[in-house]
Amino acid sequence: MKLKLIKYTPDPERAVAMSARLCYSAIGAEELEKNMTDAQVGNLLEKLRSMGHLSTFEHVSFTFAIEGVSRVLTHQLVRHRIASYSQQSQRYVAEHGFEYIVPPSVAANAEAGAKYQELMNKIQQTYDELVALGVHQEDARYVLGNATETKIVVTMNARSLLHFFEKRCCQRAQWEIRNLANAMLDEVKAVAPRLFAQAGPTCISGGYCTEGAMTCGRLAGIKAQK
Amino acid sequence: MKLKLIKYTPDPERAVAMSARLCYSAIGAEELEKNMTDAQVGNLLEKLRSMGHLSTFEHVSFTFAIEGVSRVLTHQLVRHRIASYSQQSQRYVAEHGFEYIVPPSVAANAEAGAKYQELMNKIQQTYDELVALGVHQEDARYVLGNATETKIVVTMNARSLLHFFEKRCCQRAQWEIRNLANAMLDEVKAVAPRLFAQAGPTCISGGYCTEGAMTCGRLAGIKAQK
Amino acid sequence: MKLKLIKYTPDPERAVAMSARLCYSAIGAEELEKNMTDAQVGNLLEKLRSMGHLSTFEHVSFTFAIEGVSRVLTHQLVRHRIASYSQQSQRYVAEHGFEYIVPPSVAANAEAGAKYQELMNKIQQTYDELVALGVHQEDARYVLGNATETKIVVTMNARSLLHFFEKRCCQRAQWEIRNLANAMLDEVKAVAPRLFAQAGPTCISGGYCTEGAMTCGRLAGIKAQK
Amino acid sequence: MKLKLIKYTPDPERAVAMSARLCYSAIGAEELEKNMTDAQVGNLLEKLRSMGHLSTFEHVSFTFAIEGVSRVLTHQLVRHRIASYSQQSQRYVAEHGFEYIVPPSVAANAEAGAKYQELMNKIQQTYDELVALGVHQEDARYVLGNATETKIVVTMNARSLLHFFEKRCCQRAQWEIRNLANAMLDEVKAVAPRLFAQAGPTCISGGYCTEGAMTCGRLAGIKAQK
C-alpha cells in the first residue's frame, strides 16, 4: 500500500477553532483568526471534542492518494458516503500486467500462496486472451479478481474521518482497510495532532465497545490501565 | 438479474404534491391531503418537474432487492451516495458454489465464452482449496472475480432516482448498470408514473447531451422527431 | 404545535430486518420477506441496535407535517442535513394575520407576556403597513420575528431520526425543538416500537452523557436505578 | 455584508486535475502532481466541466466567514445540505445592541424606512426588557426579527458551490442571498478561475433556463449575442 496525504486545508486546527469561536462569541470574522494563542486553540478543540460538538470539524478536509490496494478495500471504502472519491477506471484503463494484493494469511501458507499466484497468472492470461479475441476491456475486466490493485483519491473532512477511524481502525475491521485507516490516521495526526488526539476505534475515542461477544478485549485493557 | 421493488412510500405522487402545496399556500397540514383531485396532483407534479423544484421529490423513497448482478455493478452503484445500501457480505457468507455474470460480448463469442467459463471454474476451485487449506473466507474471497454474483438492497428517494436514471440509463453507461437502471425505472413508473414521466438520460429528461463527440445520437433523433 | 406522521415505509420493522438478513445469509431476495417470524424480526433488530449496525435502519423513512412552530425551531431543524424539507415560504405566502409562538417562560410572567404580545401586534401592523406602502411581501417579511409560526414537512430515515432524537430529546436541547423531538418519537414508537425501543438522548440510547458539567443528572439517575 | 474567503484547499485547480488524471491513466499517485503543465491542467478542467464529470471538483473546499447578513439569508443558506456551517448562536450570544439588515426596497421608501427603523428600535427595547424581567436570552430571542444580523462560517466543495451558484446567482433568487452568492463567486474565481469559469445561473453554466414564464430574459440575450 502506498498512501500520500496530497492536500489539506491549511492550518486545520486553527480553522476549526475559529469556526467554533464564531458560534459562541460576539467577535467578528475579521478578528477570529487573530488574538487566539496556540494554547487557546488547543483548549477549544479539546472542549469541542469532549462535548461531541463536531460540526466545526467539518470545515477542514484532507485528500489522500492511495495506491496498491485491492478492490475488496475500495468497495468497502466507498461505502463511506460523506466523502469524495476518484478511482482508477477498469473501463478506461487496460489491465495488461495488473498487480494484485496477497492477504497475509495466504502469503504465510506456502501451498495457498502458490495456488493463489497460479490463479492470478491464469486470470491475467484469460484477460489478455479475451482482449485479443476482441472483447472490450470493459467486459474483459469481469474476470479480474477482487485482489487486483487499484488507485483511488479520497477526500474526507475531519468529522467524517473521525467516524471512519472509529469503524475501520477497530481490531474487528477487515485487515486491509484497517491497515489503510491506521496509516491515514498517522498522516493526519502528523499535521493536526490536536484534531485527532483521541481518534481511533470507539474503545479509544469514546471508551466503549459495540462488538459484544466478539470484542477484541482492548477496552478491558484500557480500563485496567486506568 | 432479478429485481424487486419491495417497499415504497405509500401513494407517492400525492405525498410529493402535498409537500409542495404546503410551501406555496396558507393551508394547514391537516387539509393538505384532502381537497386535492387527482388531476391537481398531476398538474402540480408536472409544474415542479418543469421548474426543477425537485426537493419535494425527496419525501418519497423506493426500496429494491437486487440479485444476480456482478460486483462490477455494485461497485459503481454504491458510488451514488444519496442512497442506502445493504449488501451480501463476502466476509460472512461463504462463496462455495458462487454464480457469476457473463457479459453479452463474451457469451456471443464461443471461444471467449469457453475461456471465461474455464477461468470461473478455476476460481471456484482455488477458492475452495484455499478455504480447505485453512484460509478464512474473508481472505479467500480475494480470488473471487468481479463477475461474482452478489445481492444488494437499495433505497433511494425519487429525486436521487431521477439523478441515477440520468446517469445510468444513458446509452454510454456501462451495459450492466444500464440494464439495472432501466429495470428500476420500469418498476417505479408502474407505481408512480407521473413522478417519473420524463425520467431517463438527460436527452429525455432535459433535452441535452453531455457526451460530446461520444454521443449516441439519440438526442438528434428526438429533436428530428419534434 | 401540531404534528402528524403523514407517511412512512410500510411495515418498517420487517423492512429493516429483511435488509439485514440479506447481508448475512445466502438467502435470496424473494424469500427474504417470508419465513421470518415476528420474534425473529425483533431479535434481529435488537442485535443490530446493540452492535451499532444502523445502516439497515436507513431503508425506512418517516414523513411528518409540522404546524404551529416558530422559525427558531425550523432554523435549528433544517441544520439536520440527512433529511428532506418542504417549508412554507414567507416569500410566496403573505403573512397578514400571522400566528406566533410564546415561550413558556414569557407566558409565565405577566409583564413579559404583555410586552411580548404588544410587540407582536406592532410587528403585524408594520408588516401590513409596509405591504400597503408597496413593499413586496418578500421584503416585508424582514420585520417578522423568530416567533412567527411556520409549517414544514420533514422526512427522515430511521437512522437519521435516531441521531436527531439523541441530540434533540436531550434535556439540554432548546425547549421547543425538544418538545417536537419528543412528539416525533412518540409517533414513530407507535408504528415501529422495536426500531425506536431505546431511542432518545444518549443517556438512554447509549448510556453516556456528553454535557459534562452541564449535565441534567438524568444519567446518574438511570445508573442508580440499575 | 462582509465576506471573507478564509481557507481553501491549496492549489485547487491542480488538485482537481490530478484526481481526474488518476481515473483515466495508469500513472501512479506520486507522479500525478508532476509532469502536468499549467495548460494541461486547464484543458483537463475544461473537459471535465463540459462533460459534467464534476465528482473530481469535490476534492477541493472553500471556507467563507460571512457577517452582516440577515437570518432570512441564513435560513435559506443552510438548506444547502452538502456543506458545513457554524453559525453565531442567539442562544449563547446576547443580542443587546443587535444590528439589522434593511432591504433596498424599504430603504428606498422614506416612509417605509422610518416605520422599519421604528419597529427595529421597539424590538431591541422589548428584547432588553424581557431579559431585564428575567427571561433567558434563549427565549427573549423569539422577538428578534428575520432582519437581525448574524454571522456564519460556511464550507462547500467546488461541486456544491457550482450548484449553489446555479440556484442563487439567478436573477430570480431572493436579492440578499443572490448578493452573497455573487460575492462568493467573485472570491473563488479570484483563486481558481478555471474551476469556476462558467459558474453562475443555469443560463450561463448550462445554456438553459428553468424559470418558464418567470424568466428574467437573460438567456434570450445570451443567445442573441451568439
Side-chain angles (χ1 to χ4, degrees), chain B residues 6-8 10-11 18 22-23 25-29 33 56 58-59 63 65 67 84 86-89 151 153 155, chain C residues 6-8 10 18 22-23 25-29 33 56 58-59 63 65 67 84 86-89 151 153 155:
Chain B
I6 52 175
K7 298 278 178 204
Y8 59 94
D11 209 350
M18 277 164 58
L22 184 85
C23 301
S25 77
I27 201 170
E33 225 167 333
T56 50
E58 298 176 22
H59 292 295
T63 301
E67 282 183 272
S84 299
S86 297
Q87 183 166 9
Q88 192 172 49
S89 169
K151 300 180 175 75
V153 170
T155 299
Chain C
I6 52 175
K7 297 278 178 206
Y8 59 94
M18 277 164 59
L22 185 84
C23 301
S25 77
I27 203 170
E33 223 167 334
T56 50
E58 297 176 22
H59 292 295
T63 301
E67 282 183 272
S84 299
S86 298
Q87 184 166 9
Q88 192 173 49
S89 169
K151 299 181 176 73
V153 170
T155 299

Side-chain angles (χ1 to χ4, degrees), chain A residues 67-125:
Chain A
E67 282 183 271
V69 294
S70 74
R71 288 176 67 91
V72 170
L73 182 146
T74 58
H75 206 314
Q76 292 174 72
L77 177 60
V78 300
R79 293 292 298 277
H80 291 267
R81 288 161 295 183
I82 305 183
S84 300
Y85 303 99
S86 297
Q87 184 166 7
Q88 192 173 49
S89 169
Q90 289 185 333
R91 200 175 172 199
Y92 295 112
V93 180
E95 291 282 7
H96 305 302
F98 70 82
E99 304 282 326
Y100 54 88
I101 303 300
V102 184
S105 71
V106 171
N109 178 325
E111 195 177 346
K115 284 179 185 301
Y116 192 91
Q117 189 183 322
E118 184 194 325
L119 180 63
M120 292 298 141
N121 292 342
K122 175 83 177 166
I123 289 174
Q124 180 70 76
Q125 184 192 324

Side-chain angles (χ1 to χ4, degrees), chain C residues 12 23 33 59 69 78 80 148 153 176 184 191 207 212:
Chain C
C23 301
E33 223 167 334
H59 292 295
V69 294
V78 300
H80 292 268
T148 312
V153 170
E176 194 182 5
M184 286 167 67
V191 299

Side-chain angles (χ1 to χ4, degrees), chain D residues 104-122:
Chain D
S105 71
V106 171
N109 179 324
E111 195 178 346
K115 285 181 185 301
Y116 192 91
Q117 189 184 320
E118 184 195 325
L119 180 63
M120 292 299 141
N121 293 341
K122 175 82 177 166

Side-chain angles (χ1 to χ4, degrees), chain C residues 150-167:
Chain C
T150 183
K151 299 181 176 73
I152 193 165
V153 170
V154 184
T155 299
M156 288 193 199
N157 67 44
R159 186 187 201 175
S160 193
L161 276 171
L162 287 175
H163 177 80
F164 177 74
F165 296 142
E166 288 201 337
K167 296 294 181 196

Side-chain angles (χ1 to χ4, degrees), chain A residues 10-194:
Chain A
D11 209 351
E13 297 184 331
R14 192 162 287 265
V16 170
M18 276 164 59
S19 306
R21 202 183 190 191
L22 184 84
C23 301
Y24 300 109
S25 77
I27 201 171
E30 281 291 328
E31 306 137 79
L32 277 181
E33 224 167 334
K34 299 172 210 156
N35 310 320
M36 209 174 185
T37 66
D38 212 49
Q40 284 174 315
V41 167
N43 290 341
L44 188 43
L45 295 182
E46 174 55 31
K47 194 175 162 193
L48 293 169
R49 217 176 37 230
S50 70
M51 299 194 71
H53 290 190
L54 297 177
S55 63
T56 49
F57 280 55
E58 297 177 22
H59 293 295
V60 296
S61 289
F62 298 83
T63 301
F64 302 89
I66 302 166
E67 282 183 271
V69 294
S70 74
R71 288 176 67 91
V72 170
L73 182 146
T74 58
H75 206 314
Q76 292 174 72
L77 177 60
V78 300
R79 293 292 298 277
H80 291 267
R81 288 161 295 183
I82 305 183
S84 300
Y85 303 99
S86 297
Q87 184 166 7
Q88 192 173 49
S89 169
Q90 289 185 333
R91 200 175 172 199
Y92 295 112
V93 180
E95 291 282 7
H96 305 302
F98 70 82
E99 304 282 326
Y100 54 88
I101 303 300
V102 184
S105 71
V106 171
N109 178 325
E111 195 177 346
K115 284 179 185 301
Y116 192 91
Q117 189 183 322
E118 184 194 325
L119 180 63
M120 292 298 141
N121 292 342
K122 175 83 177 166
I123 289 174
Q124 180 70 76
Q125 184 192 324
T126 305
Y127 178 88
D128 293 344
E129 287 170 346
L130 291 178
V131 173
L133 284 166
V135 173
H136 192 279
Q137 68 199 26
E138 88 170 31
D139 282 344
R141 75 167 148 166
Y142 275 72
V143 304
L144 296 173
N146 285 336
T148 312
E149 277 196 12
T150 183
K151 301 180 176 74
I152 194 165
V153 170
V154 184
T155 299
M156 289 192 199
N157 67 43
R159 185 188 202 175
S160 194
L161 276 172
L162 287 175
H163 177 79
F164 177 74
F165 295 142
E166 287 201 337
K167 295 294 181 194
R168 304 298 187 173
C169 291
C170 172
Q171 285 298 321
R172 294 256 309 129
Q174 189 261 347
W175 65 268
E176 194 182 3
I177 201 166
R178 188 177 67 239
N179 288 351
L180 173 68
N182 284 328
M184 287 167 66
L185 178 49
D186 287 346
E187 291 286 324
V188 295
K189 266 190 164 167
V191 300
R194 293 178 299 187

